[in-house]
Amino acid sequence: QVQLVESGGGLVQAGGSARLSCVVSGRTSSSYAMGWFRQAPGKERVIVSGISWNGGRTYYADSVKGRFTISRDNAKNTVYLQMNRMKPEDTAVYYCAATTTLTTRSNDYDYWGQGTQVTVSS
């Protein structure tokens, strides 16, 4: 079993910043791609960002491009999502997930964290 634990969520004012962290524990390896997803109330879960195993390739949804930055520190088994210039529409539960190959489809991810609530107030 592999566990993914997100942290860093909370209440943020519009225009502010926050950083989410996802720590992978259990039988871990750096040779996996990671993704960040979010789900707002009453909406389906969608991808926010993804990163390849070595950090050489990244993906960003159009809604966050230029505002969010994904990164990883394989020595710490941790992936980060830096969120800047946040908007009320960023409010959602954010999930990190792991897969063998970078993909935008949630069904292709093998392991999921429990999620962390991010609320952006106006």
Side-chain angles (χ1 to χ4, degrees):
Q1 185 178 6
V2 176
Q3 294 89 35
L4 282 65
V5 180
E6 302 98 334
S7 62
L11 179 62
V12 183
Q13 294 188 359
S17 299
R19 188 178 74 163
L20 303 182
S21 300
C22 176
V23 179
V24 182
S25 62
R27 295 185 178 92
T28 61
S29 173
S30 63
S31 299
Y32 51 75
M34 298 291 295
W36 283 100
F37 295 78
R38 69 185 183 188
Q39 186 169 27
K43 298 184 179 180
E44 64 181 9
R45 184 160 57 192
V46 297
I47 192 167
V48 175
S49 184
I51 187 168
S52 61
W53 71 271
N54 63 353
R57 291 170 292 162
T58 58
Y59 168 84
Y60 297 96
D62 289 341
S63 59
V64 307
K65 192 172 298 182
R67 299 189 298 118
F68 290 10
T69 302
I70 191 170
S71 62
R72 66 190 303 163
D73 185 343
N74 288 340
K76 298 180 179 179
N77 290 329
T78 303
V79 63
Y80 305 94
L81 184 67
Q82 179 67 46
M83 305 182 292
N84 297 327
R85 305 194 308 278
M86 298 192 71
K87 305 175 181 179
E89 50 262 45
D90 294 323
T91 296
V93 177
Y94 284 71
Y95 301 87
C96 67
T99 186
T100 56
T101 304
L102 182 61
T103 175
T104 62
R105 301 195 303 179
S106 61
N107 289 342
D108 292 336
Y109 284 77
D110 300 309
Y111 305 101
W112 291 84
Q114 82 289 345
T116 184
Q117 176 71 47
V118 176
T119 302
V120 184
S121 64
S122 61

